[in-house]
């Protein structure tokens, strides 16, 4: 079977040198932008009317579209599940309801292997909870009075939901009685650890002397769909879940490298010793991985694929080498961390799905060094090679993977401005990386050219052969080039850089997630524009031709929210998005918004939304 996915043979032509030069050299922004700053552009292939800049307590979508609130935190997803009651939520209820703070959305067509755009499984990450909103009046001081029952409720609001959905007479509905519907949580979902670090002595705990079984997943940010129709979900900010002190334990330095230094937001460690860094110093080594889930088999056990490395994975994106091996890209979202690529040892088997079951357990993980001559070198993280030896504390490949960050640093990888999603464009064969921001940067380089980088930017990797529609995603050396540098282009000293025809609504800050529509145009979401008095939301642009990097505003979130998870159906007529943490930064009594319910006493809650054109045609 095949999920809708890029085929290495199906790429469209690439931008010419002239088009590439539409983006002028950094530092000449004012001269590039000034003559056209407010001009209405005709150079884009996108035809939607751009949304006007807005910042209020509602969501807004470009004219000619509908945006339907589809699944809110607490909405039942099983037949007979209890209704959401913010003052009487229990773990038992929440376990049968949609989780909190939606992020990644994958649409997996039904039947499996089809390209249906009217029937499928929505696979949605629930990255975190805001306890002050979840427990009105109890948690407002962060005074840590959380009972075990409250911790259990927080835990089951995390994780992942799989929900069967169908479009009937143009309207999407949930199939509550579907056998596929499933909640995956850190409280009670057993998972396997697989690959070179599975069974390692640093993975063994009191609860799991094998080092091969772990309970659950959390901090699941973005994700992606594999070519064989599974989803992979990222474990990102795991440091907020482990309390206690790691000082004096064998893992003290390793935990410091992952910021596991009692930066705890939760109290799980008070009720579950496995979350206590002193009591169980190996437990954090079992988080920070990519987790593979088969949504088409509701009885399947999720697998943490250790071959892909351990760090704060933002998400994952897939492409192929010319001989059919699978390349997997992933960013490590923290200031001065790195971008990684894993290439499988075996080729993808198109005809026999089961043959791909363990393809992610054997291959080579590499990390990116961005050279100032606009080349990119992939440095392999292979035990015994270079600095990755016992002299530096690496006694096997398991050590290298558990401490991927330290290994990458020793190899000379380029520290980046917070790598968020890194996603291959299935039409062009190039790869887009969002670097969200890094206000701590002082030393600049070509790929991170701004000190005190408040706005972030996006760069594009150019694997050899991409111009011939035969990109080699296994090559050691790529080219790369900027796509855009975010921020306000009318500020001469901002360093912002877009297409010269950018409108006053078209600029943004802090790119985070992205997807590509069926024509290969980029749709990118932001997390942080609100710091510059703009709503976070969604922008779209061509990636080739005269409209390259001409970002146009499409969707604005309610105040406090970031936009996550953009995902199209295969035909491009439906766009799923997540509105994450509406009202963040305000207390329960006076939240800046009570979106989407707008009822006194009901907290703002994250939701998956469905966007369609009013005429039903493909969006864009
Ligand atoms: Fe969960 Fe990097 O955002
Ligand atoms: Ca987030
Ligand atoms: Ca993110
Ligand atoms: Ca972010």
């Amino acid at each position: 079977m095949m999920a809708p996915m890029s085929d290495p043979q199906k790429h469209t032509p690439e931008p010419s040198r002239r088009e590439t030069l539409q983006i002028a050299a950094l530092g000449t922004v004012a001269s590039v932008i000034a003559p056209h700053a407010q001009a209405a552009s005709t150079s884009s292939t996108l035809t939607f009317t751009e949304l006007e800049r807005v910042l209020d307590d509602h969501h807004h979508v470009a004219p000619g579209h509908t945006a339907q609130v589809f699944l809110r935190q607490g909405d039942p997803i099983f037949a007979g599940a209890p209704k959401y009651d913010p003052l009487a939520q229990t773990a038992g209820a929440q376990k049968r309801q949609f989780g909190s703070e939606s992020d990644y959305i994958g649409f997996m067509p039904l039947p499996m292997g089809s390209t249906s755009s009217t029937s499928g499984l929505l696979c949605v990450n629930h990255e975190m909870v805001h306890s002050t909103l979840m427990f009105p009046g109890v948690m407002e001081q962060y005074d840590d009075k959380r009972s075990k029952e409250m911790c259990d409720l927080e835990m089951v609001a995390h994780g992942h939901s799989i929900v069967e959905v169908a479009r009937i007479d143009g309207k999407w509905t949930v199939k509550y009685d579907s056998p596929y519907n499933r909640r995956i949580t850190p409280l009670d979902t057993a998972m396997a650890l697989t690959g070179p670090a599975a069974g390692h002595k640093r993975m063994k705990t009191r609860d799991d002397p094998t080092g091969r079984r772990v309970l659950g997943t959390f901090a699941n940010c973005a994700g992606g769909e594999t070519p064989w129709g599974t989803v992979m979900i990222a474990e990102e900010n795991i440091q907020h879940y482990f309390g206690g002190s790691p000082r004096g334990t064998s893992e003290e330095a390793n935990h410091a490298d992952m910021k596991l230094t009692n930066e705890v937001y939760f109290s799980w460690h008070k009720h579950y010793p496995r979350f206590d860094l002193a009591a169980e110093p190996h437990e954090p080594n079992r988080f920070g991985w990519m987790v593979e889930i088969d949504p088409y088999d509701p009885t399947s056990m999720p697998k943490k694929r250790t071959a892909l490395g351990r760090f704060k994975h933002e998400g994952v994106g897939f492409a192929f080498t010319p001989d059919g091996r699978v390349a997997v890209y992933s960013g490590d979202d923290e200031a001065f961390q790195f971008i990684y690529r894993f290439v499988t040892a075996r080729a993808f088997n198109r005809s026999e799905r089961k043959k791909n079951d363990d393809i992610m357990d054997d291959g080579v993980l590499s990390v990116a060094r961005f050279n100032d001559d606009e080349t990119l070198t992939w440095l392999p993280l292979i035990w015994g090679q270079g600095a990755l030896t016992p002299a530096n504390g690496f006694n096997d490949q398991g050590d290298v993977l558990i401490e991927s960050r330290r290994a990458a640093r020793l190899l000379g990888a380029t520290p980046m401005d917070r790598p968020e999603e890194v996603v291959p464009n299935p039409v062009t064969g190039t790869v887009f990386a969002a670097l969200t921001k890094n206000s701590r940067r002082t030393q600049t380089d070509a790929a991170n050219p701004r000190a005190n980088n408040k706005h972030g930017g996006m760069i594009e990797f150019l694997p050899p052969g991409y111009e011939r529609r035969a990109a080699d995603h296994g090559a050691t050396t790529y080219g790369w080039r900027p796509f855009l540098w975010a921020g306000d282009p009318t500020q001469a000293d901002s360093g912002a850089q877009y297409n010269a025809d950018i409108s006053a609504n078209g600029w943004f800050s802090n790119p985070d997630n992205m997807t590509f529509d069926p024509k290969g145009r980029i749709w990118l979401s932001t997390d942080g524009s609100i710091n510059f008095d703009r709503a976070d939301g969604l922008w779209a642009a061509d990636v080739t031709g005269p409209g390259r990097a001409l970002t146009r505003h499409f969707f604005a979130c309610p105040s406090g929210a970031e936009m996550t998870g953009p995902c199209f159906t295969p035909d491009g007529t439906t766009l799923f998005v997540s509105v994450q943490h509406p009202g963040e930064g305000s207390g329960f009594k006076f939240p800046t918004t009570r979106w989407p319910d707008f009822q006194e006493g009901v907290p703002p809650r994250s939701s998956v939304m469905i966007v369609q054109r009013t005429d039903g045609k493909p969006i864009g």
Side-chain angles (χ1 to χ4, degrees):
M1 60 76 56
M2 261 290 288
M5 171 63 200
S6 66
D7 183 296
Q9 306 310 316
K10 285 186 192 163
H11 294 148
T12 56
E14 266 310 289
S16 65
R17 182 73 183 153
R18 183 189 64 79
E19 291 162 352
T20 302
L21 291 172
Q22 291 263 330
I23 299 227
L26 187 72
T28 58
V29 176
S31 60
V32 172
I33 297 299
H36 305 286
Q38 305 299 323
S41 170
T42 54
S43 60
S44 176
T45 68
L46 290 156
T47 57
F48 69 82
T49 302
E50 200 172 8
L51 180 66
E52 290 283 327
R53 169 183 170 152
V54 61
L55 174 59
D56 63 19
D57 58 353
H58 282 258
H59 67 267
H60 302 269
V61 67
H65 300 78
T66 58
Q68 170 197 356
V69 174
F70 187 59
L71 280 165
R72 300 164 294 186
Q73 184 247 321
D75 281 348
I77 61 167
F78 297 93
K83 279 191 175 157
Y84 174 64
D85 178 348
L87 294 176
Q89 274 297 84
T90 64
Q94 177 65 70
K95 199 178 151 40
R96 306 185 68 215
Q97 299 166 339
F98 200 58
S100 172
E101 306 303 14
S102 298
D103 203 298
Y104 164 71
I105 304 171
F107 177 81
M108 308 301 283
L110 282 172
M112 180 174 74
S114 75
T115 55
S116 175
S117 291
T118 56
S119 175
L121 303 175
L122 268 196
C123 299
V124 181
N125 278 353
H126 303 297
E127 187 177 18
M128 59 181 159
V129 304
H130 279 73
S131 305
T132 47
L133 298 174
M134 181 170 255
F135 305 121
V138 177
M139 279 299 302
E140 290 181 294
Q141 307 298 319
Y142 262 178
D143 53 4
D144 210 9
K145 287 178 190 161
R146 277 171 284 195
S147 64
K148 179 169 180 295
E149 288 68 30
M150 292 161 79
C151 290
D152 288 356
L153 171 51
E154 290 172 338
M155 288 168 85
V156 295
H158 281 75
H160 190 81
S161 290
I162 298 167
V163 186
E164 184 176 346
V165 297
R167 196 178 78 191
I168 300 165
D169 297 332
K171 190 164 171 67
W172 286 93
T173 55
V174 172
K175 295 195 133 183
Y176 296 99
D177 56 358
S178 168
Y180 295 110
N181 291 0
R182 185 175 185 188
R183 281 301 321 279
I184 287 166
T185 85
L187 184 68
D188 57 2
T189 306
M191 304 198 168
L193 289 152
T194 72
H200 195 279
K201 64 177 192 261
R202 297 170 69 187
M203 302 287 266
K204 295 177 179 175
T205 64
R206 284 184 190 81
D207 289 344
D208 172 33
T210 71
R212 295 177 185 277
R213 286 285 179 275
V214 59
L215 204 48
T217 183
F218 49 81
N220 304 107
C221 198
E225 306 87 54
T226 69
W228 47 95
T230 61
V231 298
M232 294 198 87
I233 65 173
E235 296 182 329
E236 191 196 30
N237 285 305
I238 63 168
Q239 75 277 17
H240 300 315
Y241 299 83
F242 292 91
S245 171
R247 291 186 73 177
T249 71
S250 58
E251 298 289 337
E252 181 176 349
N254 172 33
H255 290 346
D257 212 2
M258 287 285 280
K259 302 292 183 288
L260 285 152
T261 53
N262 210 2
E263 285 185 16
V264 67
Y265 283 2
F266 298 95
S267 298
W268 300 1
H269 62 292
K270 300 201 171 154
H271 303 289
Y272 294 95
R274 71 180 176 118
F275 295 111
D276 187 314
L277 293 166
E280 198 61 275
H282 289 173
E283 184 71 1
N285 290 345
R286 295 139 61 84
F287 295 85
W289 306 102
M290 289 299 315
V291 186
E292 185 175 4
I293 301 168
D294 183 355
Y296 294 109
D297 179 0
T299 65
S300 61
M301 180 181 281
K303 293 174 178 169
K304 298 197 181 188
R305 302 294 190 185
T306 68
L308 277 63
R310 175 174 172 266
F311 44 90
K312 295 184 190 174
H313 284 275
E314 165 69 23
V316 74
F318 300 90
F320 294 102
T321 66
D323 59 1
R325 288 169 295 138
V326 184
V328 189
Y329 295 92
S330 194
D332 182 353
D333 182 9
E334 191 177 292
F336 304 112
Q337 291 299 331
F338 310 115
I339 292 174
Y340 297 81
R341 183 193 69 181
F342 175 77
V343 180
T344 59
R346 293 201 326 264
F348 165 52
N349 190 317
R350 251 169 231 286
S351 50
E352 288 181 79
R353 185 185 192 227
K354 291 301 276 180
K355 290 269 168 68
N356 302 298
D357 270 1
D358 297 315
I359 192 173
M360 290 290 183
D361 289 339
D362 188 11
V364 175
L365 181 68
S366 302
V367 66
R369 186 182 71 211
F370 292 85
N371 309 307
D372 284 353
D373 64 356
E374 300 205 338
T375 61
L376 183 174
T377 308
W378 292 105
L379 309 165
L381 278 74
I382 299 175
W383 179 73
Q385 293 189 9
L388 308 183
T389 62
N392 287 312
F394 297 105
N395 292 307
D396 49 39
Q397 185 66 14
D399 283 335
V400 170
L401 295 169
I402 289 167
E403 296 187 73
S404 299
R405 286 181 162 186
R406 189 167 70 86
R409 253 193 329 269
L410 282 167
L411 294 178
T414 303
M416 308 297 286
D417 286 348
R418 284 190 56 191
E420 297 261 22
E421 275 209 284
V422 183
V423 187
N425 182 324
V427 174
T428 64
T430 61
V431 184
F432 289 78
L435 303 169
T436 201
K437 64 177 169 184
N438 182 3
S439 52
R440 286 163 45 208
R441 180 171 289 281
T442 53
Q443 302 270 62
T444 62
D445 55 55
N448 303 276
R450 289 192 279 184
N452 185 20
N453 180 7
K454 293 177 185 162
H455 299 282
M458 302 191 66
I459 58 180
E460 184 182 17
F461 308 168
L462 310 172
Y466 82 94
E467 312 94 325
R468 294 179 280 111
R469 310 182 189 187
D472 181 359
H473 290 270
T476 299
T477 306
Y478 290 9
W480 69 271
R481 63 190 172 198
F483 181 61
L484 59 83
W485 301 119
D488 180 353
T490 64
Q491 303 291 313
D493 60 351
S494 71
Q497 185 179 312
Y498 304 80
N499 187 294
D501 288 337
I502 191 88
S503 80
N505 302 305
W507 68 266
F508 56 85
S509 301
N510 309 124
D512 190 331
N513 297 128
M514 74 189 86
T515 194
F516 299 95
D517 68 22
K519 293 181 175 173
R521 298 172 298 199
I522 194 166
W523 295 71
L524 53 98
S525 64
T526 65
D527 171 17
S529 292
I530 189 115
N531 297 323
F532 308 98
D533 296 324
R534 315 206 97 191
D536 279 308
L538 200 62
W539 281 258
D542 290 334
V543 301
T544 60
R548 177 174 160 90
L550 180 54
T551 44
R552 295 159 65 93
H553 194 17
F554 183 75
F555 190 99
C557 288
S559 60
E562 70 169 281
M563 175 127 285
T564 54
C567 169
F568 284 99
T569 50
D571 66 1
T573 60
T574 296
L575 171 66
F576 299 97
V577 290
S578 295
V579 171
Q580 194 187 55
H581 55 71
E584 185 180 66
S586 54
F588 174 76
K589 282 186 183 153
F590 307 105
T592 53
T593 180
R594 289 193 187 276
W595 188 94
D597 302 287
F598 294 103
Q599 278 178 42
E600 198 59 33
V602 176
R605 40 182 178 154
S606 65
S607 302
V608 166
M609 299 192 71
I610 287 175
V611 178
Q612 293 172 284
R613 255 170 76 151
T614 48
D615 63 9
K617 290 182 177 169
I619 292 168

